[in-house]
Amino acid sequence: MLALRALAFVAFGLAVGSFLTVVIHRVPRGQSIVAPRSACPSCGSQIEARDNVPVVSYVLLWGRCRRCGTRIPAEYPVVEALIGGLFLAAALAFDDVVVAATVALFFAVVVAVAAIDLRHRIIPNRIVYPSLVAFLVAIASFSALGRPLSLSRAGLGLLAYGGGLLFVAIASRSGMGMGDVKLAALVGLVLGALGWAYVGVAAALAILAGGLAAVIALVRGAGRRDLMPFGPSITAGALISALLAPQVASWYTHALR
Ligand SMILES: [Zn+2]
């Protein structure tokens, strides 16, 4: 039964990952994510269905367009495989299948936001606002149906993480932007629904990852303006925390004794 669930999650994750490559490419450019169908950016020929199978097509085509032979960016199979892997991890980490599916879709959203932030230095409202509404509605419905998600903790998580970063953004006037605040609010909402420890661990890991990235950038001679965006750190903290927060929290309390 668990194997069947894992398989279903991987297959769905690969498909979602394939859709995300379109989202990541088109949303920052203000283009529709529904139409037109994907085409080769070099020769303009539409990608046929047989060449649109996640990861597999890339391998079979040796990473090149079937028509003109132009290289397909490795980002496509990498995002697809990453989302497939994260869906699998969510399926294995949560006993309740509804919770696992909610977390998996949350992973897809925060990875897409991180990828766009990395390349374009923006956290698109077009993704974050609808996600906030969708996950709020989902958490409210699922908790009402008796699934192990807490709506009140979700609200508090949103206020704690989002509010915390809002304070930092105002106080520091550094690279932290309102996009980061909104992303943190989304992470606080979903992880808060799972439990307090998840929000705390996610925030701690994000600060750790962000600090580490800043130090590495400064050591390599980057100026303040070239510093890494903070969105990917928020996402990394959220992914690790969702999968490992109970272990991290218990390790931490043991280490303090
Ligand atoms: Zn082509």
Side-chain angles (χ1 to χ4, degrees):
M1 208 39 216
L2 187 65
L4 199 66
R5 182 203 284 191
L7 205 67
F9 268 70
V10 170
F12 190 49
L14 288 171
V16 170
S18 183
F19 174 64
L20 279 197
T21 60
V22 176
V23 170
I24 291 167
H25 186 79
R26 293 187 185 176
V27 165
R29 295 172 173 82
Q31 299 164 341
S32 165
I33 52 173
V34 193
R37 291 199 43 179
S38 303
C40 168
S42 189
C43 69
S45 66
Q46 284 203 346
I47 313 291
E48 297 168 45
R50 62 172 171 166
D51 294 339
N52 218 353
V53 183
V55 185
V56 178
S57 291
Y58 181 86
V59 174
L60 291 180
L61 290 168
W62 291 100
R64 291 181 185 281
C65 169
R66 184 183 290 277
R67 278 286 179 75
C68 69
T70 302
R71 272 215 151 288
I72 304 165
E75 177 194 299
Y76 288 85
V78 166
V79 168
E80 288 162 354
L82 174 68
I83 300 297
L86 285 172
F87 270 56
L88 173 63
L92 299 177
F94 298 93
D95 293 332
D96 188 288
V97 69
V98 170
V99 175
T102 305
V103 170
L105 289 171
F106 164 71
F107 283 171
V109 171
V110 291
V111 167
V113 170
I116 291 170
D117 194 21
L118 259 182
R119 185 167 313 158
H120 301 277
R121 307 266 162 148
I122 48 162
I123 291 180
N125 288 334
R126 239 180 104 194
I127 295 179
V128 177
Y129 285 156
S131 299
L132 275 167
V133 175
F135 282 104
L136 181 62
V137 170
I139 290 164
S141 318
F142 296 151
S143 71
L145 292 170
R147 298 294 182 168
L149 291 167
S150 163
L151 180 60
S152 55
R153 276 196 318 245
L156 290 173
L158 178 150
L159 290 177
Y161 200 1
L165 274 208
L166 179 63
F167 178 77
V168 173
I170 293 170
S172 70
R173 274 171 288 156
S174 63
M176 187 88 60
M178 283 311 292
D180 298 310
V181 173
K182 294 167 199 164
L183 177 61
L186 176 64
V187 172
L189 174 80
V190 177
L191 295 191
L194 299 175
W196 273 123
Y198 289 91
V199 182
V201 170
L205 288 175
I207 293 165
L208 213 64
L212 204 66
V215 168
I216 291 170
L218 290 173
V219 167
R220 292 163 103 197
R224 274 179 64 89
R225 295 180 61 85
D226 309 318
L227 288 184
M228 278 270 291
F230 194 55
S233 298
I234 297 176
T235 289
L239 297 178
I240 298 169
S241 171
L243 297 172
L244 297 172
Q247 288 88 325
V248 174
S250 88
W251 169 82
Y252 188 70
T253 43
H254 278 290
L256 282 184
R257 267 184 214 147

